[in-house]
């Protein structure tokens, strides 16, 4: 990697997916990975294979199906994790294992409190350093491209940080990532951290330092750019900045800052800016995380001038109030509109242009869906196409329950009432239930609850219009919980009551799939360990 370039390491599918409720299905992840490759990212962090069979499978499929970027898998500094990552990456052309362990005293005292890690903080530090080195050495048996992250580097003392980093470089780590895990650092401090560690260690040209900044104080992008100015040549980021808590540094903002201020940074990336808005929409659709209207680069108001004085200025000379153009980031691309008279050729060539790959065997089904949609909606734009493929792919993830039919009646003088017919596909039973409620959606959800016996709470329900016009698609997102994890369901339709029902069914299907996975996880987990011959995890 030349020193005048920055490696863009995308972690939308790993850290991004850790955002509560952002869980994506395997087909959605594979689709996003294809789009990331098209966008020009250098590294895709595809998942954390040891954490669940679904994560393992997502990494395995992305390695097999997506070409171009290096595909990376995350692993704690434990042999079972590294073996799972190595196994998931098997057969890949360019693969990376990313192993991490915490280095700050706060983490050491809390997470490694057990006396087997050492009684004093000095002893614990020695143990952690050894675990880091062992992890790198083990990872090297799978690939030569090894990234090491010192978790909570932002709050780790420089001397110990340098000691660990030097040890892992000597063991063969080729990328050193210094995460501000808690989003605590201020930009000059973070730059200083990168500088101090780079100056405090000895390494060759093949070793790259990396930023990984969280947005708890709204500084993730600023800190990443400061890290780059201090010498880091990899930035870890996510589309739309999704991620743990307040999220990660937003890829689109990093890429455009480096491009718009090229004379300032003098650093290139491989990102094609014209695809930024499109991928933002796909990630928003698949993760269910709406992009705020005023979000830099990809928000729908990011290029809209409202104040008269601004409009006047822009009409006279765009550069008065614009530092980049909407079309530079793909915001203004006039989408080709398709309709009921569009044929297969028109549909699939537009999908091709959008980078949506449909296997030949599935084209008939997609075309039938398109025709059904065109009957309901006059004009079909790009967002509608993404929604259509998304809904179709959701259906393909083998649901537990299927909504066969529903009726909702409302009126000024009567209590809203809903009736549903639901098929339990695992038991092959059909259940019919009805209920009344505070409004049509409440009645509908109560009827579904009676028919589907999955104990849970509805945490959030939201609805928004995702395409233009009076017959726009309404997209419904729901979050349900059962104790700990959240399960998201999304659906879109020109009929918002129907979308509400399907979104709820999708969330319930995720919950049912999770429960089935939990039941089998013990068995699968043991299977993975046995297959890798690594015994029980440390
Ligand atoms: O924020 C963090 O420290 C991480 C590491 C796993 C790299 O996400
Ligand atoms: Zn992180």
């Amino acid at each position: 990697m030349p020193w005048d370039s920055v490696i863009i390491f995308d972690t939308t599918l790993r850290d991004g997916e850790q955002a509560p409720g952002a869980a994506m299905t395997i087909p959605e992840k594979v689709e996003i990975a294809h789009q990331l490759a098209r966008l020009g990212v250098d590294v895709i962090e595809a998942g954390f294979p040891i954490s669940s069979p679904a994560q393992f499978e997502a990494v395995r499929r992305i390695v097999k199906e997506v070409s171009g970027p290096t595909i990376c898998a995350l692993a704690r500094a434990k042999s079972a994790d590294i073996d799972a990552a190595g196994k998931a990456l098997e057969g890949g052309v360019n693969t990376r294992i990313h192993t991490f362990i915490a280095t700050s005293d706060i983490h050491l005292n809390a997470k490694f409190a057990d006396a087997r890690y050492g009684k004093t903080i000095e002893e614990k530090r020695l143990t952690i350093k050894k675990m880091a080195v062992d992890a790198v050495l083990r990872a090297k048996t799978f690939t030569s491209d090894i990234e090491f992250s010192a978790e909570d580097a932002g709050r780790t003392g420089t001397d110990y940080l340098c000691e660990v980093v030097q040890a892992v470089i000597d063991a063969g780590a080729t990328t050193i990532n210094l995460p501000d895990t808690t989003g605590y650092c201020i930009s000059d401090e973070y730059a200083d951290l990168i500088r101090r560690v780079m100056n405090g260690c000895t390494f060759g040209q093949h070793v790259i330092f990396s930023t990984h900044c969280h947005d708890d104080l709204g500084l993730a992008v600023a800190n990443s750019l400061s890290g780059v100015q201090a010498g880091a040549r990899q930035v870890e980021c996510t589309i739309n900045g999704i991620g743990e808590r307040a999220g990660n540094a937003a890829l689109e903002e990093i890429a455009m800052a480096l491009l718009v201020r090229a004379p300032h940074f003098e650093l290139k990336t491989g990102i094609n800016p014209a695809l930024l808005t499109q991928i933002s929409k796909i990630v928003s659709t698949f993760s269910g995380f709406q992009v705020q209207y005023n979000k830099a680069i990809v928000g729908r108001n990011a290029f809209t001038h409202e104040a008269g004085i601004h409009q006047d200025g822009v009409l006279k000379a765009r550069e008065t109030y614009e530092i980049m153009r909407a079309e530079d980031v793909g915001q203004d691309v006039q989408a080709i509109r398709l309709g009921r008279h569009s044929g297969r050729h028109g549909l699939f060539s537009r999908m091709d242009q959008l980078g949506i790959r449909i296997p030949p065997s599935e084209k008939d089904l997609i075309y039938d869906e398109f025709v059904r949609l065109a009957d309901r909606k006059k004009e079909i734009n790009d967002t509608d196409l993404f929604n259509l493929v998304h809904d179709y792919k959701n259906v393909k993830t083998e649901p537990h329950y299927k909504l066969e039919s529903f009726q909702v009646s409302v009126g000024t003088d009567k209590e809203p009432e809903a009736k549903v017919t639901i098929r339990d596909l695992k038991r092959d039973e059909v259940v019919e239930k009805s209920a009344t409620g505070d409004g049509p959606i409440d009645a509908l959800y109560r009827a579904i609850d009676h028919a589907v016996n999955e104990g849970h709470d509805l945490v959030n329900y939201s609805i928004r219009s995702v395409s233009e016009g009076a017959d726009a698609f309404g997209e419904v997102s729901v979050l349900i919980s059962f104790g700990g994890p959240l399960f998201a369901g999304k659906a879109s339709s020109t009929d918002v009551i129907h979308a509400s029902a399907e979104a709820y069914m999708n969330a319930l299907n995720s919950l049912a799939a999770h429960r089935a996975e939990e039941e089998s996880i013990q068995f699968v987990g043991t299977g993975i360990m046995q297959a890798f011959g690594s015994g029980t995890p440390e």
Side-chain angles (χ1 to χ4, degrees):
M1 165 60 63
W3 285 95
D4 63 352
S5 305
V6 174
I7 295 170
I8 298 293
F9 175 113
D10 180 274
T11 182
T12 306
L13 301 176
R14 200 278 298 169
D15 220 341
E17 209 222 11
Q18 280 174 222
M24 293 177 244
T25 63
I26 295 172
E28 286 169 346
K29 288 185 186 181
V30 175
E31 182 57 39
I32 289 177
H34 277 297
Q35 297 289 344
L36 288 168
R38 209 166 151 248
L39 180 70
V41 308
D42 302 285
V43 185
I44 296 174
E45 187 161 52
F48 188 3
I50 192 82
S51 66
S52 77
Q55 289 263 343
F56 183 90
E57 183 58 14
V59 175
R60 206 187 59 79
R61 278 198 48 195
I62 290 170
V63 165
K64 286 211 154 48
E65 296 176 31
V66 178
S67 47
T70 294
I71 307 299
C72 171
L74 185 71
R76 287 167 302 183
K78 294 182 171 211
S79 46
D81 282 43
I82 290 167
D83 294 350
K87 184 90 187 145
L89 293 171
E90 219 169 66
V93 185
N94 295 313
T95 57
R96 171 182 297 187
I97 293 181
H98 174 192
T99 185
F100 73 99
I101 196 161
T103 48
S104 68
D105 286 357
I106 301 174
H107 279 238
L108 262 57
N109 285 325
K111 300 195 324 202
F112 300 97
D114 195 293
R116 74 192 151 117
Y117 296 108
K119 291 199 185 73
T120 62
I121 189 75
E122 287 76 22
E123 284 172 6
K124 287 185 198 301
R125 286 185 187 151
L126 280 178
T127 311
I128 297 305
K129 186 168 73 174
K130 179 167 181 332
M131 286 171 75
V133 168
D134 288 349
V136 170
L137 292 174
R138 194 167 187 109
K140 265 175 68 178
T141 63
F142 294 99
T143 170
S144 56
D145 187 345
I146 317 288
E147 173 164 335
F148 172 78
S149 283
E151 192 189 13
D152 205 19
R155 295 186 300 172
T156 304
T158 314
D159 290 349
Y160 180 57
L161 195 53
C162 288
E163 211 179 299
V164 176
V165 167
Q166 189 65 64
V168 294
I169 290 176
D170 294 344
T174 43
T175 299
I176 301 297
N177 184 34
L178 299 176
D180 180 20
T181 304
T182 56
Y184 177 76
C185 292
I186 306 297
S187 300
D188 56 345
E189 289 170 347
Y190 190 68
D192 206 39
L193 171 82
I194 300 275
R195 227 175 269 119
R196 276 184 282 122
V197 180
M198 287 183 76
N199 290 335
C201 296
T202 311
F203 54 91
Q205 286 277 328
H206 64 290
V207 175
I208 299 284
F209 280 75
S210 170
T211 68
H212 179 111
C213 298
H214 280 271
D215 210 29
D216 300 67
L217 294 175
L219 293 171
V221 169
N223 288 359
S224 306
L225 294 171
S226 295
V228 161
Q229 286 182 296
R233 286 295 174 269
Q234 174 176 285
V235 173
E236 303 199 351
C237 44
T238 60
I239 300 293
N240 299 336
I242 63 168
E244 281 275 353
R245 308 181 309 279
N248 290 59
L251 183 150
E252 58 279 4
E253 295 175 23
I254 301 279
M256 289 315 288
L258 292 174
L259 187 65
V260 172
R261 301 300 309 274
H264 181 78
F265 289 103
E266 296 186 318
L267 290 166
K268 297 190 281 263
T269 73
I271 298 297
N272 176 355
L275 298 179
L276 286 170
T277 301
Q278 196 183 96
I279 195 161
S280 158
K281 284 187 178 155
I282 299 172
V283 169
S284 169
T285 303
F286 288 5
S287 67
F289 275 41
Q290 298 175 9
V291 175
Q292 79 212 43
Y293 287 177
N294 62 331
K295 164 87 180 59
I297 316 297
V298 292
R300 66 186 250 188
N301 290 355
F303 295 90
T304 311
H305 301 279
E306 187 69 24
I309 193 166
H310 285 210
Q311 287 176 348
D312 184 57
V314 168
L315 287 173
K316 286 181 177 133
R318 289 181 78 154
E319 62 273 23
T320 49
Y321 289 101
E322 276 183 6
I323 58 165
M324 57 194 150
R325 293 169 309 170
E327 52 270 38
D328 296 340
V329 299
Q331 274 243 22
D332 213 21
V333 179
Q334 199 44 54
I336 293 178
R337 294 184 192 266
L338 299 161
R340 62 161 65 194
H341 301 297
S342 310
R344 287 173 65 95
H345 181 71
L347 171 66
F348 291 115
S349 52
R350 183 62 196 149
M351 284 194 164
D352 227 39
Q353 283 165 9
L354 293 172
I356 304 174
R357 277 153 313 283
I358 307 291
S361 59
E362 293 176 14
K363 285 193 168 167
D364 285 347
L365 281 165
I366 289 282
Y367 187 67
D368 288 349
E369 287 294 321
F370 167 77
V371 171
R372 261 194 289 277
L373 175 64
D375 274 342
R376 284 181 284 133
K377 196 168 187 292
K378 259 198 325 276
E379 279 189 347
I380 297 179
N381 59 31
D382 292 346
T383 313
D384 298 328
L385 290 185
F386 284 123
N387 282 322
L388 186 137
V389 175
H390 175 248
D391 287 352
Y392 165 74
K393 284 188 172 170
N394 247 359
V395 171
K396 282 192 61 191
T397 53
E398 291 200 11
H400 190 125
Y401 305 106
K402 183 170 185 291
L403 179 70
E404 301 234 298
S405 65
F406 74 92
Q407 281 146 27
V408 176
S409 57
V410 283
T412 40
D413 303 326
K414 71 190 284 284
E415 208 180 356
E417 193 178 348
K419 187 169 158 202
V420 298
T421 306
I422 287 174
R423 181 176 289 276
D424 183 327
L425 296 159
K426 300 284 181 252
R427 296 200 186 94
D428 200 21
E429 280 169 16
V430 174
V431 188
E432 274 189 24
K433 293 283 175 195
S434 45
T436 53
D438 274 349
I441 307 293
D442 188 44
L444 184 63
Y445 283 13
R446 280 172 194 256
I448 294 175
D449 287 346
H450 290 324
V452 172
N453 212 5
E454 300 279 355
H456 64 275
D457 296 318
L458 177 63
V459 177
N460 188 46
Y461 169 92
S462 64
I463 182 162
R464 64 168 184 159
S465 165
V466 286
S467 52
E468 309 100 59
D471 58 355
F473 256 63
E475 183 189 81
V476 175
S477 305
V478 300
L479 274 182
I480 61 173
S481 90
F482 175 65
L486 292 170
F487 300 92
K490 292 156 268 168
S492 44
S493 168
T494 47
D495 170 352
V496 291
I497 305 257
H498 191 190
S500 301
E502 293 293 359
Y504 198 47
M505 293 303 297
N506 287 338
L508 288 166
N509 275 318
S510 298
L511 172 59
H514 174 79
R515 285 193 169 132
E517 196 177 280
E518 291 251 292
E519 276 164 25
S520 64
I521 207 153
Q522 211 51 41
F523 170 71
V524 177
T526 316
I528 288 176
M529 297 313 158
Q530 278 164 0
F532 301 146
S534 53
T536 47
E538 304 84 317

